[in-house]
Amino acid sequence: MKIDDILNLTDGKLQNTPHIKAIESATTFPSKVTLGDLFFAHDNADIASAIDNGAYGIIYEGDVKITDDEIAWIKVDSVRISAFKLLRYVLLSKEADFYLLNPHEMSFFRQITTQKSGITFLSNEWHKAFEQILNSDSYLFVSTDKELLSLIKTPTPILEETAEGYAISDTLFRSTFRVGKYVYQDLKMAPFHLDHLLKVVHLCQKHEIPYSIERIGYTKHFMPLYIDNNLHTVSQGASDKVLIFTDNIEDIVKAREYIRYQTTWVKSIVLTPPKTKVENVDRPYWFESVEQAREILTATHYNYAFVYSLDKDLFKSFEIDKEEYGLF
């Protein structure tokens, strides 16, 4: 690609009069630079290494000292935005679909797809996603990062249609449901996650992606652990005391609503980091450490304890059957 074309696509300003007139490829990693490449400097400290590896052009923001007049130095307002402007041009010659999935949809998509060739799960770090797209022959790209996908495609496609299916019976932790002609019995899924699953199944059907619904299981978004009074994990049904780890507030609200109408005998409590607000919970139990959370769980009476935390160490602090809960 000619330097003039790069300037037009990235809205960049050439800071010198280089000898080179074109570049061969582009990258955001100095270690991947080869002779003739354009380097997008998401960290200006990497520029010297990129030049040593043979970069013919540098796109950067801020103030940088020009150390090699033979290569092109292109200044932009935002390296990230400029990189994706170039990427959008490259994508004009590729047949690829992009989808924004919510975190639940992404988890189910990872679980049920049996063949992932041709699918790229985009990193939420823009410089890694740039590399994934530029160097991939995939026909399908998925991400949970709305801002990132908005740089690639506007409007950002989301999953709207669902596969044919409906719930048959359920508990808070197990679901029996029908999808198409088949009934799936007693699978490890909260009933209010069925809509997420049906949207993912439709995506697989639309793009003829092999999938198996039997592969679904608990996810990091809603993970029940049956425990005894000493906080030791036990098998399902061996105790009426359950910890439910979640990484989102919405699932806590939906689960408590389910309990309210389906299992009125259950006493539930909610544990969150300080100053976290949960709808219809006036006094959640706040904790600041794993130890404090365990103290609350030991001293408080409950059947179900919803624990909102993004800290994996809290989940790992319990003796967990790795075959049953192979999350982390």
Side-chain angles (χ1 to χ4, degrees):
M1 181 178 288
K2 294 181 179 179
I3 296 299
D4 287 343
D5 293 331
I6 294 172
L7 294 173
N8 291 331
L9 290 169
T10 62
D11 292 328
K13 295 180 180 179
L14 192 61
Q15 301 298 298
N16 66 327
T17 306
H19 290 174
I20 62 100
K21 301 299 180 184
I23 57 96
E24 296 296 326
S25 186
T27 183
T28 58
F29 291 96
S31 60
K32 293 185 177 181
V33 171
T34 58
L35 188 64
D37 282 353
L38 175 67
F39 177 61
F40 285 91
H42 67 277
D43 185 343
N44 287 346
D46 293 330
I47 291 176
S49 176
I51 294 174
D52 290 341
N53 289 335
Y56 272 18
I58 306 294
I59 289 186
Y60 66 95
E61 58 186 80
D63 296 322
V64 170
K65 181 180 180 181
I66 295 177
T67 57
D68 186 338
D69 279 324
E70 293 190 359
I71 68 172
W73 294 78
I74 301 170
K75 187 174 182 177
V76 296
D77 292 331
S78 168
V79 172
R80 178 175 65 97
I81 292 175
S82 295
F84 280 91
K85 285 181 176 179
L86 179 65
L87 195 58
R88 290 178 75 157
Y89 172 78
V90 172
L91 285 171
L92 292 176
S93 61
K94 290 188 176 184
E95 293 186 4
D97 289 306
F98 290 79
Y99 287 96
L100 175 68
L101 276 57
N102 66 40
H104 292 79
E105 292 166 351
M106 182 66 82
S107 293
F108 284 135
F109 190 54
R110 287 182 180 275
Q111 284 186 343
I112 73 171
T113 48
T114 58
Q115 182 177 314
K116 293 180 173 61
S117 59
I119 303 171
T120 295
F121 297 85
L122 292 174
S123 169
N124 288 343
E125 297 181 62
W126 75 262
H127 58 288
K128 293 181 180 179
F130 175 88
E131 293 280 336
Q132 287 178 296
I133 299 169
L134 186 68
N135 299 315
S136 173
D137 293 325
S138 294
Y139 64 88
L140 187 68
F141 296 85
V142 292
S143 173
T144 57
D145 190 328
K146 183 177 182 179
E147 182 181 1
L148 175 70
L149 283 192
S150 69
L151 296 174
I152 303 168
K153 197 172 184 67
T154 305
T156 305
I158 60 175
L159 302 188
E160 297 180 295
E161 298 183 67
T162 63
E164 180 184 352
Y166 54 86
I168 296 176
S169 63
D170 52 61
T171 66
L172 184 58
F173 309 123
R174 295 272 183 165
S175 296
T176 296
F177 53 90
R178 187 183 188 99
V179 178
K181 299 178 181 179
Y182 301 98
V183 173
Y184 300 89
Q185 295 185 330
D186 204 33
L187 297 189
K188 297 175 183 177
M189 184 184 75
F192 43 82
H193 288 169
L194 179 59
D195 189 58
H196 299 304
L197 176 63
L198 292 178
K199 287 182 178 180
V200 169
V201 171
H202 181 270
L203 176 65
C204 292
Q205 293 172 344
K206 178 179 179 180
H207 291 277
E208 299 182 349
I209 301 168
Y211 67 93
S212 172
I213 292 176
E214 289 90 347
R215 291 163 61 96
I216 68 168
Y218 299 129
T219 69
K220 63 182 179 180
H221 314 302
F222 195 82
M223 169 62 64
L225 288 183
Y226 287 81
I227 59 168
D228 61 21
N229 291 329
N230 296 314
L231 301 187
H232 295 147
T233 56
V234 296
S235 60
Q236 182 176 351
S239 171
D240 63 356
K241 183 173 285 190
V242 188
L243 305 184
I244 302 112
F245 290 89
T246 75
D247 65 354
N248 67 102
I249 297 297
E250 182 182 2
D251 276 358
I252 295 178
V253 174
K254 288 182 177 180
R256 283 171 54 82
E257 188 72 8
Y258 181 94
I259 291 170
R260 179 181 174 188
Y261 291 105
Q262 301 294 332
T263 50
T264 54
W265 59 270
V266 168
K267 175 178 173 54
S268 68
I269 62 172
V270 177
L271 280 71
T272 73
K275 299 182 180 180
T276 303
K277 293 183 179 180
V278 181
E279 184 180 340
N280 296 324
V281 180
D282 295 329
R283 295 182 179 180
Y285 291 84
W286 288 348
F287 66 92
E288 296 183 345
S289 66
V290 172
E291 293 73 19
Q292 189 175 9
R294 292 180 68 92
E295 288 175 4
I296 294 170
L297 292 170
T298 300
T300 309
H301 171 66
Y302 58 88
N303 301 113
Y304 294 172
F306 295 94
V307 184
Y308 171 62
S309 176
L310 302 178
D311 185 357
K312 293 179 182 178
D313 288 338
L314 178 55
F315 181 85
K316 290 179 178 178
S317 71
F318 293 87
E319 297 177 4
I320 299 163
D321 183 338
K322 294 183 178 179
E323 292 185 2
E324 183 78 3
Y325 302 98
L327 279 184
F328 307 117

